[in-house]
């Protein structure tokens, strides 16, 4: 799965927004994100009757004036939709967000190369003061939820409250209350320090102002879309305006009453939508949930939102099908889907090209990267205070990174190299200088003898059981684990598959794994990695702790100076390699394909997947 980063990784789908970044969540966290800058080599090559190329990374006017009858089906991968609120730990993934994205409007969205594009149909924003950084937001007077309720400051107040546990649980952000537990299960919980006062304005207003405690390099991404506060309030027995006023007044007791519904009320069992769907799951985007449109394990259908005030959806029904990557090419050929975005294997492109001119194949670079993360919990073999560091190093020596790249990725993109950083990509300008400062290359080549020596000296009884967790249905990850198991066996590790359909919803947050294998799906954010690697980061489900990393992120995230960003990234990368937070593998090559009869399909390097502009898809 691909997780989105909230750093500015976790997706991104700017949904729920005051602090979205690395999904992710996916966490995948694929999965729940890449960071820093957009790809300089993004862009698709197509075969067949493809749209004319363009240099504009944002959405363009493609002439849609009315919604046409019919449907377009798309698959980003296996696994059910998990809920309307895609910003909880259990629901924050690219797989979930590609669906919910089209039910929400936002001030901004990511263009195909990570460019931050403004959505002026929804509203506008401007910096009114630089010290302190102050941004004024204006929501379109026409912007409404599909139940007719206006989108207002109220929605953004709840969004802020859900990401800011400090006023609900004093001492959480400062660490003064080590036993504090968050009230809202939000993947990002660091807003207390960024925007301590929250959105300022009149209850029910279409305008509000946000004042930052420190300069924020990702300020344009901090406010995006928001969940409907009026629904959460009503379902919790509170008047909507009363909830907004409670947040402005710091009435924690009232705000806490909404948390249970916010955490659980928008999450559903597969195939089961609420009877009062129109009331509790409204849309502010071009599509909304279709009644009886969810077939468990098979598909979920959205239909055009008739109350949407902007450019209408191009096609009436948008169907998301849950298909394993290995089955996508055949499903496209059979006509079961019209657009696919599989994780490419060595067979993917040849299979797609063999279908012939009825299909357009897109190949491109992405800001998504594959990695293995160690579990730092004290009760885990890799988190043990006495032997964990030694065993992490031993395991890193036996992982066949180059073999994985050579056999699984280079046949798709011959230019792919081992990725030796986390916050910059091999195709970006600063990559090599960061790697040179942070990493000496010791784990580039397998050294089983060195690995076994470290295992033996640790005194831990062998074979050491190592479960690598990942989401079921991903052929390439299964092959990756097989390669690691074969390489690490002689060093004393018994590597097994811990793949399950609900890995990121259940086992991953519970820490029931030794390593997690997934991808962070990134965009154009700068500071999203803080939410993954900082000690109190909402996406730090590895439970990693490093004071130097915390301080470096704090410096980076409070500066607008690119030179400061670069130097702090070097510090962060050095520490992550020293502690072996995880093992980076490679940046994903991108492959998508679509029926040639579907117009306006455009690939993207970002975590939003090829469906980022699905409302523009039309059948020729």
């Amino acid at each position: 799965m691909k997780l989105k980063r909230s750093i500015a990784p976790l997706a991104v789908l700017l949904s729920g927004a005051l602090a979205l970044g690395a999904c992710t969540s996916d966490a995948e966290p694929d999965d729940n994100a890449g960071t820093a800058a957009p790809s300089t080599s993004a862009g698709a090559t197509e075969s067949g009757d493809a749209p004319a190329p363009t240099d504009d990374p944002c959405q363009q006017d493609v002439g849609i004036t009315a919604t046409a009858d019919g449907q377009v089906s798309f698959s980003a991968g296996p696994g059910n939709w998990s809920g309307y609120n895609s910003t909880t730990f259990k629901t924050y993934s690219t797989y979930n967000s590609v669906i919910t994205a089209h039910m929400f409007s936002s001030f901004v969205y990511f263009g195909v190369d990570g460019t931050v594009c403004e959505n002026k149909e929804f509203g506008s924003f401007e910096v009114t003061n630089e010290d302190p950084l102050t941004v004024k937001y204006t929501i379109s007077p026409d912007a409404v939820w599909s139940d007719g309720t206006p989108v207002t400051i109220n929605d953004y107040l709840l969004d802020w409250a859900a990401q800011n546990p400090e006023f609900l649980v004093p001492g959480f952000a400062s660490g003064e209350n080590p036993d504090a537990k968050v009230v809202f299960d939000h993947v990002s919980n660091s807003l207390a320090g960024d925007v301590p006062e929250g959105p300022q304005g009149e209850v029910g207003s279409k305008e509000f102002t946000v004042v930052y405690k420190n300069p924020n390099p990702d300020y344009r991404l901090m406010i995006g879309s928001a969940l409907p506060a009026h629904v959460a309030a009503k379902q919790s027995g509170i008047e909507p305006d009363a909830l907004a006023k409670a947040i402005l007044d710091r009435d924690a007791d009232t705000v806490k009453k909404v948390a249970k519904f916010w955490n659980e009320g928008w999450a559903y069992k597969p195939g089961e939508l609420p009877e009062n769907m129109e009331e509790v799951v409204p849309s502010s985007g071009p599509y909304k949930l279709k009644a009886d449109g969810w077939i468990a394990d098979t598909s979920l259908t959205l239909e055009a939102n008739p109350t949407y005030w902007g450019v209408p959806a191009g096609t009436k029904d948008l169907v998301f099908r849950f298909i394993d990557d290995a089955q996508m090419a055949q499903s496209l050929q059979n006509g079961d889907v019209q657009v696919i975005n599989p994780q490419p294997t060595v067979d993917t492109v040849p299979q797609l090209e063999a279908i012939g001119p009825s299909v357009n194949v897109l190949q491109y670079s992405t800001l998504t990267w594959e990695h293995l993360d160690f579990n730092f919990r004290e009760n885990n073999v890799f988190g043990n205070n006495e032997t964990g560091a030694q065993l992490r190093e031993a395991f890193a020596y036996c992982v066949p990174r180059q073999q994985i790249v050579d056999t699984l990725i280079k046949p798709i993109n011959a230019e792919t190299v081992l990725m030796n950083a986390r916050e910059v990509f091999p195709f970006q300008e600063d990559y090599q200088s960061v790697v040179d400062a942070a990493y000496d290359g010791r784990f580039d080549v397998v050294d089983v003898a060195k690995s076994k020596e470290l295992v033996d000296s640790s005194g831990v009884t062998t074979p050491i059981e190592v479960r690598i967790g990942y989401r079921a249905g991903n052929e390439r990850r299964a092959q990756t684990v097989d390669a690691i198991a074969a390489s690490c066996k002689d060093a004393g590790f018994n590597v097994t598959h811990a793949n399950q359909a609900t890995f990121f919803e259940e086992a991953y947050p519970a820490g029931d794994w030794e390593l997690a294998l997934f991808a962070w799906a990134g965009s154009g954010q700068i500071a999203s990695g803080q939410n993954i690697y900082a000690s109190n980061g909402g996406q730090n489900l590895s439970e990693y702790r490093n004071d130097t990393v915390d301080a470096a992120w704090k410096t980076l995230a409070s500066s607008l100076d690119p030179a400061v960003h670069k130097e702090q990234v070097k510090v962060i990368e050095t520490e992550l390699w020293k502690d072996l937070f995880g093992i980076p593998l490679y940046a994903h090559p991108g492959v998508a394909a679509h029926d040639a009869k579907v117009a306006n399909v455009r690939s993207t390097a970002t975590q939003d997947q090829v469906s980022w502009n699905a409302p523009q898809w039309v059948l020729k």
Side-chain angles (χ1 to χ4, degrees):
M1 157 182 207
K2 295 172 230 157
L3 281 188
K4 299 182 302 181
R5 295 170 52 165
S6 187
I7 108 191
L10 239 188
V12 146
L13 222 203
L14 293 156
S15 114
L18 268 175
L20 249 268
C23 188
T24 151
S25 266
D26 109 300
E28 148 180 35
D30 226 53
D31 303 59
N32 180 184
T35 66
S39 164
T40 56
S41 59
T45 60
E46 300 196 12
S47 61
D49 182 18
T54 175
D55 293 329
D56 184 356
C58 301
Q59 288 192 13
Q60 303 151 61
D61 182 356
V62 294
I64 296 173
T65 58
T67 300
D69 286 336
Q71 70 174 38
V72 177
S73 296
F74 165 72
S75 181
N80 276 294
W81 185 57
S82 53
Y84 173 77
N85 179 357
S86 61
T87 58
T88 71
F89 283 102
K90 292 183 177 181
T91 60
Y92 188 58
S93 73
T94 297
Y95 291 134
N96 206 59
S97 295
V98 293
I99 297 176
T100 57
H102 305 300
M103 292 188 281
F104 294 92
S105 288
S106 172
F107 286 101
V108 294
Y109 63 93
F110 289 113
V112 297
D113 62 354
T115 297
V116 179
C117 305
E118 296 185 27
N119 179 11
K120 295 185 178 179
E121 284 186 352
F122 179 70
S124 61
F125 59 94
E126 61 175 331
V127 174
T128 58
N129 191 18
E130 294 187 356
D131 188 17
L133 179 61
T134 304
V135 186
K136 179 182 178 182
Y137 290 85
T138 303
I139 303 169
S140 168
D142 299 324
V144 296
W145 295 98
S146 54
D147 62 5
T149 303
V151 181
T152 69
I153 184 179
N154 296 13
D155 302 309
Y156 289 93
L157 285 168
L158 178 58
D159 190 57
W160 173 81
Q163 297 184 67
N164 185 348
E166 184 64 18
F167 90 83
L168 298 174
V169 187
F172 178 90
S174 65
E176 296 174 0
N177 183 356
D179 298 323
K181 295 183 179 180
V182 295
V183 176
F184 289 88
D185 184 32
H186 201 294
V187 292
S188 176
N189 56 31
S190 59
L191 276 186
D194 292 334
V195 187
E197 298 304 319
Q200 300 296 302
E202 298 290 331
V203 171
S205 174
K206 287 281 189 176
E207 296 182 348
F208 60 90
T209 298
V210 172
V211 180
Y212 290 88
K213 184 177 180 180
N214 297 298
N216 187 307
D218 288 313
Y219 78 88
R220 290 185 298 168
L221 306 176
M222 299 302 282
I223 307 293
S225 63
L227 290 159
H230 67 286
V231 173
K234 290 178 180 178
Q235 295 299 310
S236 305
I238 304 171
E239 286 298 318
D241 283 355
L243 173 60
K245 189 173 188 305
I247 297 170
L248 289 170
D249 293 345
R250 301 298 186 268
D251 178 358
D253 290 338
T254 296
V255 179
K256 287 179 182 179
K257 294 177 182 179
V258 178
K260 180 175 177 58
F261 178 81
W262 194 97
N263 293 336
E264 304 172 7
W266 280 314
Y268 310 112
K269 294 180 180 179
E272 298 182 12
L273 290 172
E275 292 182 2
N276 57 342
M277 189 177 70
E278 295 287 345
E279 178 183 344
V280 299
V281 193
S283 170
S284 65
Y287 281 100
K288 66 175 185 174
L289 282 172
K290 185 173 184 176
D292 300 321
W294 190 3
I295 303 173
D297 304 317
T298 301
S299 66
L300 183 138
T301 300
L302 303 182
E303 63 180 352
N305 175 8
T307 64
Y308 186 63
W309 62 94
V311 175
T315 304
K316 184 177 180 181
D317 286 350
L318 179 61
V319 182
F320 293 87
R321 298 195 181 277
F322 313 130
I323 302 173
D324 286 353
D325 293 79
Q327 304 302 318
M328 284 191 192
Q330 188 64 54
S331 296
L332 179 64
Q333 184 171 8
N334 293 346
D336 297 329
V337 288
Q338 285 74 52
V339 187
I340 61 172
N341 207 162
Q343 287 210 10
T345 68
V346 295
D347 299 321
T348 304
V349 174
Q351 285 178 341
L352 292 170
E353 291 180 338
I355 297 174
S358 64
V359 166
N360 291 341
V361 181
L362 297 78
Q363 294 181 263
Y364 49 95
S365 301
T366 79
L367 287 162
T368 295
W369 60 286
E370 194 85 351
H371 56 96
L372 289 155
D373 284 357
F374 286 105
N375 190 334
F376 279 78
R377 292 167 174 81
E378 291 184 10
N379 63 351
N380 193 280
V381 66
F382 289 122
N384 182 279
N385 286 332
E386 296 181 1
T387 59
Q390 197 168 7
L391 292 180
R392 292 195 300 274
E393 184 179 6
F395 198 82
Y397 272 117
C398 69
V399 173
R401 301 169 70 219
Q402 190 65 57
Q403 175 191 337
I404 290 168
V405 171
D406 289 346
T407 59
L408 300 181
I409 307 303
K410 281 199 172 183
I412 306 165
N413 183 344
E415 303 302 316
T416 304
V417 298
L418 276 180
M419 188 162 170
N420 284 325
R422 302 154 184 86
E423 293 301 298
V424 287
F425 284 75
F427 48 73
Q428 292 178 333
E429 183 179 354
D430 292 336
Y431 174 78
Q432 196 57 51
S433 65
V434 170
V435 172
D436 290 344
Y439 172 62
D440 61 7
R442 69 181 65 186
F443 303 120
D444 286 2
V445 178
V446 170
D447 190 338
V448 174
K450 179 67 173 177
S451 179
K452 188 176 188 304
E453 177 185 331
L454 288 165
V455 169
D456 292 343
S457 65
S458 75
V460 177
T461 302
T462 59
I464 299 170
E465 298 296 325
V466 175
R467 298 163 300 162
I468 299 183
Y470 61 98
R471 189 166 183 169
N474 189 301
E475 180 183 356
R476 191 168 70 198
R477 293 204 172 106
Q479 293 173 349
T480 298
V481 174
D482 286 342
I484 295 171
S487 181
C488 292
K489 181 178 179 180
D490 291 341
F493 294 103
N494 181 35
V495 175
T496 58
H497 295 257
N499 57 326
Q500 52 186 283
T502 58
F503 177 74
F504 288 99
E505 290 83 6
E506 298 176 7
Y508 181 61
D512 192 15
W513 45 278
E514 276 69 60
L515 288 107
L517 173 63
F518 61 94
W520 283 120
S523 296
Q525 303 170 4
I526 296 170
S528 64
Q530 184 174 24
N531 208 39
I532 298 174
Y533 307 114
S535 297
N536 66 344
Q539 290 173 279
N540 181 3
L541 297 187
S542 297
E543 296 194 1
Y544 171 72
R545 303 287 184 272
N546 182 307
D547 291 343
T548 301
V549 170
D550 291 350
W553 273 120
K554 185 175 181 180
T555 299
L556 184 154
S558 61
S559 173
L560 300 179
D561 187 347
V564 171
H565 301 162
K566 182 176 180 178
E567 290 309 308
Q568 295 308 310
V569 163
K570 291 179 179 178
V571 173
I572 292 164
E573 294 283 3
T574 298
E575 293 296 310
L576 294 179
W577 272 116
K578 184 182 73 174
D579 294 339
L580 275 173
F581 173 92
I583 305 172
L585 296 174
Y586 53 83
H588 283 209
V591 173
H594 64 92
D595 187 314
K597 295 178 182 178
V598 181
N600 306 324
V601 178
R602 295 178 69 194
S603 61
T604 177
T606 73
Q607 63 201 35
D608 291 343
Q609 304 288 295
V610 72
S611 61
W612 74 285
N613 75 329
Q616 295 187 314
W617 294 351
V618 293
L619 296 170
K620 297 179 183 177

